Amino acid sequence: MLTTSIDPHAAEARPRLLDTVDRVSEMCFGLFMALTFVGAVSAVAAPADAGRVMFHTALGCNLAWGLVDAVMYLVRTLTERGRKLSLVKAVRSASDPSEAIARLRDALSPPLRTLVADAELEAMRSRIARSTDWPEKPALRGQDFLAAAAIFGIVVLATFPVALPFIVIHEVPRALLVSRVLTIVMLFGAGIALGRHAGFGGWMAGVAMTVLGIALTVAIILLGG
């Protein structure tokens, strides 16, 4: 999907490393991964050291998947940046303005294609043609690595509210209760954040995210995750 502006400077001027959707998605990913181990503990007669083993296993899993997710974020960022740069080069090398406008329109998402007039695309084409500071090839920047580090940190930190009660509380049933309460609170908070970001009711979104999260966790456990 083509953004509203593909100016190279505007594209890099991000006020935050990750937007609300990214942060909530990564938090939920780490949360669900940890919940699969909590479900495993609750499904068997837990030995004395089950909580500690579960915590270390869940933490190790989220460390690994946090690293994978961070690396894939960098791959996705580099790929998207290369796709935009290829579009710019195609527009600049087009034989006539109509061909360049057609390329820009093809890059738009289907809902936007009928909303953006040729005059607006021509203005964008003119700005691209006049600009001389486009890079020769896509590259990652310092802010991209900071965002990847933030993704890694969010996934790993999501382990602790779910798994840490089994280290602090030695009675497994009570630790399970605390873990589940914290999980519900986190899912509810994630739903509120998404709801407010999308512009609709935060409380209803919180309830919906909680129900969805519980359903996903049950499905993950039943599927052997």
Side-chain angles (χ1 to χ4, degrees), residues 8 99 144 152 169 180 195 209:
E99 180 185 346
D144 302 320
F152 175 79
I169 303 172
R180 287 168 179 167
M209 177 60 79

Side-chain angles (χ1 to χ4, degrees), residues 3-4 7 18 20 35-36 54 57 70 75 95 110 132-133 139 146 149-150 153 159 194:
T3 56
T4 54
D7 179 80
L18 300 170
T20 300
L35 282 173
T36 60
M54 183 276 301
T57 305
V75 172
S95 57
T132 60
D133 53 358
L146 288 176
T159 309
L194 286 179

Side-chain angles (χ1 to χ4, degrees), residues 9-177:
H9 302 296
E12 296 304 319
R14 292 180 294 181
R16 295 180 179 179
L17 292 177
L18 300 170
D19 63 19
T20 300
V21 176
D22 288 331
R23 293 196 301 273
V24 171
S25 298
E26 296 301 337
M27 186 271 289
C28 288
F29 175 73
L31 185 65
F32 294 147
M33 293 297 294
L35 282 173
T36 60
F37 294 95
V38 173
V41 169
S42 63
V44 297
D49 62 341
R52 186 174 299 276
V53 171
M54 183 276 301
F55 173 79
H56 289 120
T57 305
L59 181 59
C61 178
N62 277 11
L63 283 169
W65 280 107
L67 178 61
V68 170
D69 219 16
V71 171
M72 291 310 300
Y73 169 83
L74 295 175
V75 172
R76 185 173 67 251
T77 298
L78 188 62
T79 302
E80 181 65 16
R81 198 163 288 160
R83 188 186 68 87
K84 291 180 179 179
L85 185 58
S86 295
L87 174 62
V88 167
K89 291 180 178 179
V91 169
R92 293 172 65 91
S93 63
S95 57
D96 58 75
S98 61
E99 180 185 346
I101 290 174
R103 289 182 178 274
L104 288 171
R105 187 173 296 281
D106 287 341
L108 293 170
S109 62
L112 287 178
R113 289 175 188 170
T114 58
L115 299 177
V116 180
D118 284 351
E120 295 172 289
L121 294 177
E122 168 58 23
M124 185 179 294
R125 185 203 66 81
S126 298
R127 289 196 298 271
I128 292 174
R130 291 194 304 268
S131 177
T132 60
D133 53 358
W134 293 97
E136 287 298 321
K137 58 182 180 179
L140 294 172
R141 297 169 175 82
Q143 192 172 22
D144 302 320
F145 290 100
L146 288 176
I151 288 174
F152 175 79
I154 291 171
V155 173
V156 173
L157 289 175
T159 309
F160 290 91
V162 180
L164 192 59
F166 292 89
I167 297 294
V168 178
I169 303 172
H170 299 293
E171 298 177 10
V172 172
R174 184 178 298 177
L176 276 171
L177 177 61

